[in-house]
Amino acid sequence: CFVMGALLSRPNSSPAISDRKTRPEPPQLAVPTVDRETTTLGDKEAAAEFAFMLENMRMKQWAAEDDNRQRVLIREDNEAFRSDDAFVAAKLSQDDEGYVLSRTLEDADGIRADFDNYGVVVIRDAISYSDCRQSVDELWDFLERQCSGLDRHNPR
């Protein structure tokens, strides 16, 4: 039900509502419940998109309220957080073939060191081949739904 923009933005011709000093409350919308194991990927995507749209709507409504309008327009001074140092990405450790070094699940010290030094860790055999294949297929399914003309079998 996405009538709230029209419902709240134009005057209502109904005398019962137009005589009121306040606008009617918009319908309370809720994000559909998602079960990690049984909900389809498409339904999970739809729920996530709906949650994003609801939060976006709530933020716009919050910003439009009288007390918040001026707060939104204030320019904050962030000079204290400025840095003249240019960002330089850390070079990840690589093996002789140029692949990023990976850690085993048992190498807790190596995992912590890589995370502290690089902010990322490659863990060998973290998921099974079949789980990896399923994730890749789900990613392609998502991309093909979102990007018209994209086809995993056509590298053009």
Side-chain angles (χ1 to χ4, degrees):
C1 179
F2 290 102
V3 295
M4 91 280 183
L7 176 70
L8 297 178
S9 63
R10 76 178 165 192
N12 192 322
S13 58
S14 166
I17 294 178
S18 62
D19 291 343
R20 295 183 195 159
K21 297 283 185 207
T22 60
R23 293 181 179 176
E25 286 294 318
Q28 294 299 314
L29 304 174
V31 177
T33 304
V34 173
D35 179 71
R36 181 178 178 169
E37 300 301 324
T38 60
T39 305
T40 66
L41 185 60
D43 287 345
K44 289 176 187 176
E45 290 169 16
E49 184 174 2
F50 188 63
F52 176 79
M53 291 169 59
L54 281 177
E55 185 60 24
N56 191 4
M57 178 185 71
R58 286 185 190 115
M59 291 300 295
K60 287 178 181 178
Q61 288 173 340
W62 176 87
E65 292 173 7
D66 288 337
D67 294 344
N68 299 326
R69 204 170 341 188
Q70 288 303 317
R71 291 173 43 193
V72 169
L73 297 174
I74 294 172
R75 182 176 169 95
E76 296 292 334
D77 180 12
N78 294 314
E79 190 63 29
F81 301 102
R82 182 182 169 137
S83 173
D84 292 327
D85 300 331
F87 174 77
V88 178
K91 181 93 169 117
L92 298 173
S93 300
Q94 297 178 342
D95 64 16
D96 295 335
E97 296 178 19
Y99 293 101
V100 174
L101 290 178
S102 61
R103 304 287 181 182
T104 63
L105 283 173
E106 294 77 26
D107 186 7
D109 293 336
I111 290 172
R112 172 56 65 194
D114 283 355
F115 188 75
D116 288 343
N117 292 329
Y118 309 113
V120 66
V121 181
V122 177
I123 301 176
R124 186 172 39 252
D125 300 325
I127 62 174
S128 69
Y129 177 81
S130 63
D131 287 344
C132 181
R133 185 77 251 149
Q134 181 180 354
S135 293
V136 169
D137 288 341
E138 288 174 352
L139 178 61
W140 269 110
D141 290 345
F142 171 78
L143 291 172
E144 287 173 336
R145 279 193 303 277
Q146 299 298 318
C147 304
S148 170
L150 184 65
D151 181 1
R152 73 184 86 184
H153 306 294
N154 184 358
R156 58 179 159 106

